[in-house]
Structures are given as structure tokens and as C-alpha cells.
Amino acid sequence: MSHMQGWAVQQAGQPLVLTAFDLGPLGAEEVEVAVDYCGICHSDLSMINNEWGTASFPFVPGHEVIGRVSALGAQAKGLKIGQRVGVGWTAATCMHCHQCLSGHQNLCAQLLPTIGGGHQGGFADKVRSHWAWAVPLPDGIDLASAGPLLCGGITVLRPFLAYEISPTARVGVVGIGGLGHMALKFAKAWGCEVTAFTSNAAKAGEARAFGAHHVVDSRDPKAIRGMAGTLDLLLATVNVPLDWAALMGTLAPLGRMHVVGAVMEPIPVSVFTLMLGEREVSSSPTGSPIDIATMLDFATRHDIRPQVEMFPMGSVNEALKHLAEGKARYRIVLEA
Amino acid sequence: MSHMQGWAVQQAGQPLVLTAFDLGPLGAEEVEVAVDYCGICHSDLSMINNEWGTASFPFVPGHEVIGRVSALGAQAKGLKIGQRVGVGWTAATCMHCHQCLSGHQNLCAQLLPTIGGGHQGGFADKVRSHWAWAVPLPDGIDLASAGPLLCGGITVLRPFLAYEISPTARVGVVGIGGLGHMALKFAKAWGCEVTAFTSNAAKAGEARAFGAHHVVDSRDPKAIRGMAGTLDLLLATVNVPLDWAALMGTLAPLGRMHVVGAVMEPIPVSVFTLMLGEREVSSSPTGSPIDIATMLDFATRHDIRPQVEMFPMGSVNEALKHLAEGKARYRIVLEA
């Protein structure tokens, strides 16, 4: 059970090569998952290119896994061999710290990412995780498109859970890509009035189909000013600097800008903009196992499916090129 | 009833001059308050110097008024002639907008400040406000020191109310001045573990007397790093740029930095610092009438008194000089 074949990055920015790994004995609290599908997230690209300086090579990317439990460690709880599960950004957490015992396992300081710290990800025939992070899939979920929910989906839904966003809220989504298109679907199903901000006019029609009631050109300062003071939640899903002052100006009193894009440059925040409306700026990393389970239930109930393009696992390099060129509509899934 | 004598600023930065004003007929929803005491807030200085560009001259500063109702408009509700009331930053709000009808009157877009928009403040024999903003004082409150609660006190207590801060929380207060010393007293009475951050070592002893369990040198990066990941709420009360990255590093997972100092320069906020701990940055402006009433009750129950230096109203220019020189310990009150 200890051998794995995965598509590995040997050096930053290089094409992936099919590589055999000896994973060693399965840990007592670990499970092994036979991979059926694995989504490609923009953070896989960031790690392949070592943009955050945290990658250790060689490593196998992929952290949006849909598969079946193929082996269980002696202390693995709540799962059965053959059970359908998903594994996302997180492979393991300590399970005993303040955050883990409070249900905020995704904030554990010892968090082991699925694609970092020597752990091997899901562009492979199998992937391992702590049992708590192999989240059972609800009946009726569409397996082929579900992968991107495990990272992108929970990332955009977490603020709705964390801040108990009301279905009466007006929600803006900035950037209609892998994360953003899922955010539109979730916000619509949540009952909210939804506005998409995109710099790509060609996406307007699809944004409406995903659930946007309104589409605003994110490069048009006048259009953004037209939204001044209206949004209860503005979800920024892109990872490039934006006209933050203009965007924060769209917030209603008591509104919140929540940033889930991995923006590297500090965001300049005007204290007066926050102060005069008692506004907030926040961010969050994916979600806990229960957040993910809750998200999967909600997505299944509302038939929220990421819009995906399928590639065979063997075409992973072509798929990554497609993503890097900004051509993915809107998320890519590799099929084992 | 329409004449008032107040200490007015004629031009930005000039000394105040005792001036007679004709306030015109009392509005139907207005009350007139005979001033007994008026605190001096740092924002009075900012307005006198027109730092925010919003002052219209001549005007009478002062927005921490303790007094007695001396006249009631025909539609003024809930107050009696002679009743003890306090008037703070806000003189009037529209009372019919979404914010006003939701109990967030302090976020009303039509808010008339006590010292702006042609309204005359409390360095005077009388001051006017909408009836809702003349907040009844609880029995047993210390009248001479209560003025600063009406602006500074509610400003630092509002985040405890707004975000339902738990008494189990660890709270940091940056800047031990007019606002900060009240924040220490409120946080201690709230049941929290309290850390004061000050650049003035001479204030350490007093900070402890106000309620700080710990005092940290805010100019010592190593000391700040020693607090990394520990604070649930960090309340920044100063209006100068700080080492924001270091300060945000003191936040525990799910922690919040709340800025109540009128910081003019945008604060550079690291998305990763927020993201990895699901942290928040926020700000708020004073509070609603019910926030103020709740704060006054809490302050009276816990005998929280601003530490004040008393000046006669006629010595207002000396008092302002004392404040401008950073010598106030910790808040100044003018006595009529």
C-alpha cells in the first residue's frame, strides 16, 4: 500500500513528470484515498512556481481530490473502506490545540497542507490525509465536478458561515474565475442579491447564468462609484492589486470586504472609510472539516456544481498551461 | 431662549473668543441643555486646526457635555425640564433612514455633529441637540468626570458591544491617553485580560492602576513580537501611523484589530496575516443613543470614571494648550 505514482514538480516552474513515491507505512490516524478526480486550483500553480517560497521539491500538486477510501490507519475514525470522500487544502492538523479542539482545525498552527511540507498531493493515483480531513461526500453529489468545491468552494463559502451572512444581504463578488464563479452560485443559492465585478465583458452573460443579478465593469470607476454604500459583503477573489479604495466604497454601513485571493501586496485601508460606516476587512483560509461537510450538503441540496473542463490526468501539463494562460472556464478537473 | 454665549474659534488654529450666538427658535424635536461640564476631546483640537477640512468658522467646540435640560421642543420625547443628560459627538440624525430605524443612528448619512455643519458645541452656556441625542444620565454617576464618557468612552466601548467581546478575551490597548486610559478601565471591568501598549514608560504604573495586567513598550519590536498570536481584540486609540504589521502580529486566530484613532494615512494590511488566522480589521464611530445609555449604566455600575483634570470654562485656551502639548492626564473637563 505504500507506493504511489504521481505527477511531480522537480524544480520550480518545470513540467510535471510521472514519478513513483514510497509513502512509507500508513500512519495510525491516516487514511489513503484512491483518486478518481482532482481539481486544479490557482494555488497549485503558485506552488509549482514557488511564488510563496514554501515549496519543497519534488512534490505532487493537487488538493481538490474526489476519491474512495482505500486504506485506514488503526485509529482512523468514522470512515469505511470504499467510502466516497473529498480531500482539500489541508491534509492534517494536530487535533489537540486550542483551534483544533474549538472546531477551527483549519487555523491549526501545525496545519500540514496537502501539497506542502513533504506531503504529496492529488495529481496521483492515491493521496493520504488525516481521517478528519477526508470528508465524506453526500449522496447525490456530482463526483466529476465536485473536486473544486473542496478548496475553492469552501474558500468562498466560509465567510457566509463565519459571519452568518443573511439571505437578505447584498453581496458583491470581485473576479469571475475559479473562485468567483462558485461564489456567484453560492451567493445566489444563499438567497442574496448578487453583483459580479469583472474586467472581462465577455464573462457578463455567464456571470448572470451563475447567479449574478447585476454585472459591473471592475475597470470602470464610475460604475463602481454607482454601487457606493450598497454592499453588505464584498468578496474579493482575485490575487492582483485592485482599486481597493473604490471597492471599499461600495460597502454599506456595517459592510465587510472579505479577501480570499492570495494578494501579496498589502492592501491600503482607509480608517475613515471603515470608521464612518463601522465597516470591516477580513480574510480566511478554506474551512474546517465541518465547514466542508456543511458546504457539500448545501451544494448538493442546491445542485451547485463548479463549471469544469475535464482533462485526463496524463494531460496535466496541458491543463496547467491552459490555466496559466487564463483560459480555464472556470475550473479544471483531472480525471484519473 | 435663543441666545448662547460660547467660546468660538474664528479662524483655524486661533485662540477661542467668548462670543454671543443667536441660535434662533428651538426646533420641534430639539432640546436645549444648560452646560455644567464639557470634556475636551482630541477631535476638538483637530477641528479647531481644521485638520480634516470640514470645519466652518466661527464655531464653538466641545462635544462631551454634561448638563440639564433647560428647554424642550414641542415634539421632544422622553425628557423633562431639569433632567440630567449628556450630549456627545452627535447632535442630530434623521431618525427615519435605514440606519436610524435599525438602531444604528450613529451611522446615519445625515448625521449632524455637535461641532460641525454650523452647529455650536459645548464650550458654552448651553448646547442644543435632537432629543434622542440628549442621553439621560443614570443616578449615581459622577457628574464632574462623566463628560469624556460621552465621546471617548463610547468610542472605546462600542467594539465590545458591536462584536460581543467575551469577558474571557485577551484585549490589547495601544496608546494610553484620553481614549486609551478609558479603554483599560472598560476592558478590566468587562472581565478581560488587559495589555497596555505605550511608548511612554512613565505611564506604565498608571496603566496598571487603570486596569492593565501587562504593559508593553510599543516602540520595542521584540516586546511586541513576544505577544505574537495572543490577543483577541487589539484596540488602537492613537492617531499616528504605527508598526501595523507588528501590531497585527499580536492577534490570536480569529482576532480583531479595531482602530478608533483618527489615523489619516491608509493602514497597510497584509492579506496573509488576516487569512492565516481568519483575522479582521475594523473601525467604528462613537455609538448610538442606546449604546451610550448602556455604556453609562455599565460605567456607573463599575464606577468607571475618566481620570480628569478640571479647568474653569474661562481657561479653555490654557486647557487646549495643555492638551496640545500632550500633557493631559488623561482627559480635561471644563467646568461652567
Side-chain angles (χ1 to χ4, degrees):
Chain A
M1 299 295 289
S2 65
H3 289 88
M4 176 270 278
Q5 292 255 326
W7 289 88
V9 202
Q10 309 296 325
Q11 287 183 53
Q14 294 298 307
L16 278 54
V17 179
L18 190 61
T19 308
F21 287 81
D22 182 346
L23 299 178
L26 189 67
E29 301 199 47
E30 279 189 307
V31 301
E32 198 159 81
V33 175
V35 177
D36 291 320
Y37 303 97
C38 188
I40 306 183
C41 177
H42 208 279
S43 54
D44 288 311
L45 264 188
S46 298
M47 286 291 286
I48 289 168
N49 295 322
N50 202 14
E51 289 169 19
W52 304 329
T54 56
S56 57
F57 299 96
F59 81 96
V60 176
H63 58 276
E64 294 184 337
V65 173
I66 297 294
R68 291 151 288 126
V69 175
S70 54
L72 286 165
Q75 309 300 326
K77 295 180 174 64
L79 296 172
K80 294 179 196 166
I81 296 289
Q83 187 167 1
R84 296 276 181 188
V85 294
V87 177
W89 174 259
T90 306
T93 47
C94 82
M95 306 306 284
H96 65 82
C97 70
H98 182 104
Q99 301 308 322
C100 281
L101 287 173
S102 305
H104 296 289
Q105 294 89 347
N106 57 314
L107 305 182
C108 173
Q110 306 301 320
L111 185 149
L112 176 68
T114 299
I115 61 168
H119 196 272
Q120 305 305 334
F123 297 172
D125 59 355
K126 57 184 71 162
V127 69
R128 290 180 175 181
S129 81
H130 186 279
W131 59 264
W133 289 99
V135 181
L137 300 179
D139 292 341
I141 197 167
D142 179 63
L143 296 169
S145 65
L149 295 172
L150 269 293
C151 177
I154 187 56
T155 295
V156 298
L157 194 67
R158 173 64 191 158
F160 290 81
L161 300 170
Y163 311 118
E164 297 177 351
I165 300 298
S166 169
T168 65
R170 291 154 298 177
V171 174
V173 176
V174 183
I176 309 308
L179 293 176
H181 92 283
M182 284 188 266
L184 294 178
K185 291 183 177 220
F186 275 112
K188 175 73 180 303
W190 204 260
C192 300
E193 181 175 333
V194 185
T195 300
F197 293 79
T198 177
S199 59
N200 185 342
K203 289 184 177 176
E206 278 183 302
R208 289 180 199 276
F210 296 144
H213 300 91
H214 318 286
V215 179
V216 171
D217 180 349
S218 61
R219 289 191 183 159
D220 178 353
K222 196 175 159 194
I224 296 176
R225 277 198 302 275
M227 299 290 297
T230 63
L231 299 175
D232 301 302
L233 173 66
L234 179 65
L235 198 55
T237 73
V238 300
N239 60 2
V240 294
L242 298 167
D243 184 347
W244 298 109
L247 287 170
M248 279 185 263
T250 67
L251 295 178
L254 303 172
R256 169 190 299 275
M257 181 172 80
H258 192 78
V259 183
V260 293
V263 181
M264 303 298 282
E265 299 77 8
I267 294 179
V269 173
S270 156
V271 171
F272 277 83
T273 297
L274 296 186
M275 182 182 287
L276 295 178
E278 198 167 307
R279 300 180 175 97
E280 305 173 86
V281 174
S282 52
S283 180
S284 59
T286 66
S288 72
I290 291 301
D291 289 332
I292 294 172
T294 302
M295 177 274 301
L296 291 171
D297 277 347
F298 187 78
T300 303
R301 187 189 323 151
H302 289 274
D303 199 23
I304 293 171
R305 303 180 186 198
Q307 180 158 318
V308 299
E309 298 176 281
M310 306 297 295
F311 283 73
M313 184 76 78
S315 302
V316 60
N317 287 307
E318 288 82 346
L320 286 166
K321 182 166 176 285
H322 190 66
L323 175 61
E325 290 170 349
K327 294 180 180 168
R329 292 295 180 277
Y330 279 86
R331 201 77 165 178
I332 299 168
V333 170
L334 302 173
E335 186 165 6
Chain B
M1 300 293 290
S2 64
H3 289 89
M4 177 269 279
Q5 291 256 327
W7 290 88
V9 202
Q10 309 296 325
Q11 287 183 54
Q14 294 298 305
L16 278 54
V17 179
L18 190 61
T19 308
F21 288 81
D22 182 345
L23 298 179
L26 189 67
E29 301 199 49
E30 279 190 306
V31 300
E32 198 158 82
V33 175
V35 177
D36 291 320
Y37 303 97
C38 188
I40 305 183
C41 176
H42 208 279
S43 53
D44 288 312
L45 264 188
S46 298
M47 286 290 287
I48 290 168
N49 295 321
N50 201 14
E51 289 170 19
W52 304 330
T54 56
S56 57
F57 300 97
F59 80 96
V60 176
H63 59 275
E64 294 184 336
V65 173
I66 297 294
R68 290 150 289 128
V69 175
S70 54
L72 287 165
Q75 309 300 327
K77 295 179 175 63
L79 295 172
K80 294 179 197 166
I81 296 288
Q83 187 168 0
R84 295 278 182 188
V85 294
V87 177
W89 174 258
T90 305
T93 48
C94 82
M95 306 306 284
H96 65 82
C97 70
H98 182 105
Q99 300 307 323
C100 282
L101 287 173
S102 304
H104 296 289
Q105 295 89 346
N106 56 314
L107 305 182
C108 174
Q110 307 301 321
L111 184 150
L112 176 69
T114 300
I115 61 168
H119 196 271
Q120 305 304 333
F123 297 173
D125 59 355
K126 56 183 74 162
V127 70
R128 289 181 175 180
S129 80
H130 186 278
W131 59 263
W133 290 99
V135 181
L137 299 179
D139 291 341
I141 197 166
D142 179 63
L143 296 169
S145 65
L149 294 173
L150 270 292
C151 178
I154 188 56
T155 294
V156 298
L157 194 67
R158 173 64 191 158
F160 290 82
L161 299 171
Y163 311 119
E164 296 177 351
I165 300 298
S166 169
T168 64
R170 292 154 298 176
V171 174
V173 175
V174 183
I176 310 308
L179 292 176
H181 91 284
M182 283 189 265
L184 294 177
K185 290 183 176 219
F186 275 113
K188 176 73 181 304
W190 204 260
C192 300
E193 182 175 332
V194 185
T195 300
F197 293 79
T198 176
S199 59
N200 185 343
K203 289 184 177 176
E206 278 183 303
R208 289 180 200 277
F210 296 144
H213 300 93
H214 319 284
V215 180
V216 170
D217 180 349
S218 60
R219 290 193 182 158
D220 178 353
K222 196 176 159 192
I224 295 176
R225 278 197 302 274
M227 298 291 296
T230 62
L231 298 175
D232 301 302
L233 173 66
L234 179 65
L235 197 56
T237 73
V238 301
N239 60 2
V240 294
L242 297 167
D243 184 348
W244 298 110
L247 287 171
M248 280 185 261
T250 65
L251 294 178
L254 303 173
R256 170 191 299 274
M257 181 171 81
H258 192 78
V259 182
V260 294
V263 181
M264 301 298 281
E265 299 78 9
I267 295 179
V269 172
S270 157
V271 171
F272 277 82
T273 297
L274 296 186
M275 183 182 286
L276 296 178
E278 197 167 308
R279 298 179 176 100
E280 306 174 85
V281 174
S282 52
S283 180
S284 58
T286 65
S288 71
I290 291 300
D291 289 332
I292 294 171
T294 303
M295 176 275 300
L296 291 171
D297 278 347
F298 186 78
T300 303
R301 188 189 323 151
H302 289 275
D303 199 23
I304 293 171
R305 303 180 186 197
Q307 180 160 318
V308 299
E309 298 175 281
M310 306 298 294
F311 284 73
M313 185 76 79
S315 302
V316 59
N317 287 307
E318 290 82 346
L320 285 166
K321 182 166 177 286
H322 190 65
L323 174 61
E325 290 171 349
K327 293 179 180 168
R329 291 297 181 274
Y330 280 83
R331 201 77 167 178
I332 299 168
V333 170
L334 301 173
E335 187 166 7

